[in-house]
Amino acid sequence: MSELKPVRGTHDILPEAMRRHRRVTDTACEIAARYGYQEISTPIIEFTEVFQRTLGETSDIVTKEMYTFQDRAGESLTLRPEYTAGVARAFMSGGLQHSLPLKFFCRGPMFRYERPQKGRQRQFHQIDVELLGIAEPLGDVEVIALGAHILDALGLTDKVTLELNTLGDNESRQAYRAKLVSYLERFRDKLSEDSRLRLERNPLRIFDSKDEGDKRVIANAPLLRDHLNDVSKRFFDQVQAGLKAAGVAFEINPRLVRGLDYYCHTAFEFTTETLGAQGAVLAGGRYDGLMAAMGGPPTPGTGWAAGVERLALMIAEPKAPARPIAVVAAGGGAEIEVFAVAQKLRAEGFTADVGFSGNLKKRLARANKAGAVAAVILGEDELKKRAATVRDMASGEQTEVPLSSLGQHLARYR
């Protein structure tokens, strides 16, 4: 039989790593709730069309990274690579357009077939917020401020930089697109194969290329900020003013873009250099055209997603769990009573760990290894007295305590 091991690009989240994972997701959920965002969960699998419509059939995610398969009924299904598409589908299929505005928070696993590396796996986890039904610039300000608040609560403010840009409205973007394509056509033979394909359908995505040749070409490309109409300028000015009022620092990055047509106005990324190469840890923007692109009613939207694994690598070591009270039997006659006492302690709010087998010495050794702060020892003599011997694991001091007041005696160890 071959060695059993995780699928490449997946990993087990064991207790120590899980504490970091939970610190990120629980903090995000708690802060999001302060802003009125309610937690929802969408299915891990969706019809493939959901992502093809929203991510674009020429995107790397759709063409190279999605886990797509046919089920037994012949339907094409895909493991979700991101949250926004599923939230948009839930909005439409759930008939939620009459409940606007809506504020959603999500957390859970995503799946993309890509080269595994530090902080990036084929099964990974995201936190995500979506604000639907708000067309005003202050909607963008709120979701960005929420992201900044979460990062600050995680102690990461000094490790990240908020980069901000505007994509303008559709009129501005179409005017810019024509200028950009005209420029790029002069360098078509110097572009990578992927960028030549993008040039036909999603030219703004060439700004995201990691190819060195592409980077040299776009270094002197015209910028969208120079082609904004007055409506787009006012929108972006209000976003900047709102962020300043909220105390959220930012830098303008005129080359930060989103390639699909349903994106508009604000685009942003919180980036870091602490994980090696600079990369985004929380990113998003406005997507007013998404619902219509999926066949639903025109609905403004804005939001962001963040990688839990990357954030978990950046945070300080979370507080260790409470040290347990070990409840051990000194002799076979007390085995059942041990469980009764442990359950009573748990009901009173203690962390209680039961020693299942071995003589008293071995059970106490295991309790010490588990970090127990005290041990409750029950033997035949104790049971006759309806009492327990409590050993302080640090000093070794032992005290006989009536079972009726055991919780009160152990309160010092909370």
Side-chain angles (χ1 to χ4, degrees):
M1 183 177 179
S2 61
E3 179 185 0
L4 291 176
K5 55 185 179 181
V7 174
R8 184 168 186 255
T10 69
H11 62 287
D12 302 306
I13 308 177
L14 299 177
E16 184 176 348
M18 196 67 204
R19 284 198 293 274
R20 289 177 165 271
H21 191 284
R22 287 290 301 274
R23 166 86 171 120
V24 171
T25 59
D26 288 352
T27 297
C29 188
E30 190 271 325
I31 299 295
R34 296 189 202 175
Y35 287 67
Y37 288 73
Q38 299 183 75
E39 185 170 6
I40 67 168
S41 180
T42 61
I44 287 177
I45 55 173
E46 297 271 4
F47 289 114
T48 301
E49 185 183 15
V50 169
F51 302 113
Q52 287 177 334
R53 285 191 184 188
T54 56
L55 298 173
E57 293 185 2
T58 62
S59 71
D60 284 349
I61 295 177
V62 170
T63 60
K64 301 176 183 179
E65 298 173 5
M66 290 202 318
Y67 279 93
T68 297
F69 58 95
Q70 282 195 337
D71 68 4
R72 294 183 181 182
E75 300 280 8
S76 180
L77 304 179
T78 294
L79 297 176
R80 68 182 177 205
E82 56 95 49
Y83 254 125
T84 305
V87 172
R89 193 271 313 143
F91 169 77
M92 290 185 288
S93 64
L96 300 178
Q97 55 265 38
H98 303 299
S99 302
L100 294 171
L102 292 166
K103 296 181 173 185
F104 292 138
F105 170 82
C106 312
R107 52 180 160 179
M110 309 291 156
F111 304 85
R112 295 184 192 176
Y113 189 89
E114 54 186 348
R115 184 171 65 86
Q117 53 189 289
K118 183 179 181 181
R120 178 176 295 172
Q121 298 290 324
R122 291 177 176 176
Q123 177 180 323
F124 59 101
H125 298 77
Q126 284 188 343
I127 50 175
D128 178 277
V129 302
E130 309 292 348
L131 174 59
L132 304 178
I134 301 297
E136 289 75 22
L138 289 182
D140 298 353
V141 173
E142 179 174 280
V143 298
I144 295 172
L146 169 54
H149 195 158
I150 291 169
L151 294 173
D152 185 61
L154 292 171
L156 300 180
T157 297
D158 294 337
K159 297 181 180 180
V160 298
T161 300
L162 171 58
E163 299 182 11
L164 186 70
N165 194 25
T166 177
L167 306 176
D169 60 11
N170 187 60
E171 178 185 271
S172 299
R173 202 163 50 257
Q174 290 306 314
Y176 169 67
R177 178 176 173 143
K179 295 281 188 181
L180 179 62
V181 170
S182 177
Y183 168 82
L184 292 173
E185 284 287 2
R186 291 155 41 197
F187 303 95
R188 177 183 282 269
D189 60 336
K190 295 182 179 180
L191 294 173
S192 66
E193 182 180 352
D194 281 347
S195 288
R196 286 196 294 271
L197 291 173
R198 288 170 176 166
L199 182 57
E200 304 298 328
R201 302 183 68 171
N202 301 107
L204 268 69
R205 282 194 162 169
I206 297 175
F207 281 97
D208 292 327
S209 175
K210 302 299 187 290
D211 181 86
E212 292 302 322
D214 292 344
K215 289 180 180 179
R216 286 191 290 272
V217 170
I218 63 177
N220 296 311
L223 297 174
L224 203 159
R225 69 181 179 187
D226 299 323
H227 299 80
L228 297 174
N229 57 23
D230 290 341
V231 171
S232 299
K233 289 177 182 177
R234 284 196 299 271
F235 194 103
F236 195 42
D237 286 345
Q238 290 177 45
V239 170
Q240 293 177 74
L243 290 174
K244 289 175 183 177
V248 179
F250 60 88
E251 296 179 1
I252 303 297
N253 177 358
R255 299 183 184 278
L256 178 60
V257 298
R258 299 287 184 265
L260 294 174
D261 288 341
Y262 57 74
Y263 286 109
C264 62
H265 293 299
T266 314
F268 61 91
E269 293 182 353
F270 287 86
T271 61
T272 185
E273 294 182 344
T274 62
L275 297 175
Q278 186 180 34
V281 294
L282 187 156
R286 177 164 286 274
Y287 50 84
D288 287 355
L290 175 60
M291 297 299 179
M294 293 182 70
T299 307
T302 184
W304 53 254
V308 173
E309 280 81 0
R310 301 203 82 195
L311 292 174
L313 288 170
M314 296 171 64
I315 64 174
E317 184 65 34
K319 182 181 178 181
R323 293 174 62 187
I325 304 293
V327 186
V328 298
E335 295 283 1
I336 299 300
E337 189 66 25
V338 158
F339 278 92
V341 170
Q343 284 297 93
K344 188 172 186 298
L345 290 176
R346 290 162 181 159
E348 293 176 8
F350 293 95
T351 298
D353 187 47
V354 173
F356 288 98
S357 62
N359 58 32
L360 180 60
K361 182 178 179 180
K362 288 183 178 180
R363 295 188 194 208
L364 289 174
R366 280 197 296 270
N368 192 56
K369 187 176 180 180
V373 65
V376 174
I377 303 169
L378 291 168
E380 292 183 8
D381 291 341
E382 285 85 1
L383 289 178
K384 290 177 182 177
K385 301 176 185 178
R386 300 303 299 161
T389 298
V390 177
R391 175 181 293 188
D392 184 291
M393 296 298 284
S395 66
E397 180 184 350
Q398 295 191 165
T399 307
E400 189 174 273
V401 180
L403 290 179
S404 59
S405 59
L406 185 58
Q408 182 180 350
H409 179 82
L410 293 173
R412 71 189 70 180
Y413 296 111
R414 285 190 187 276

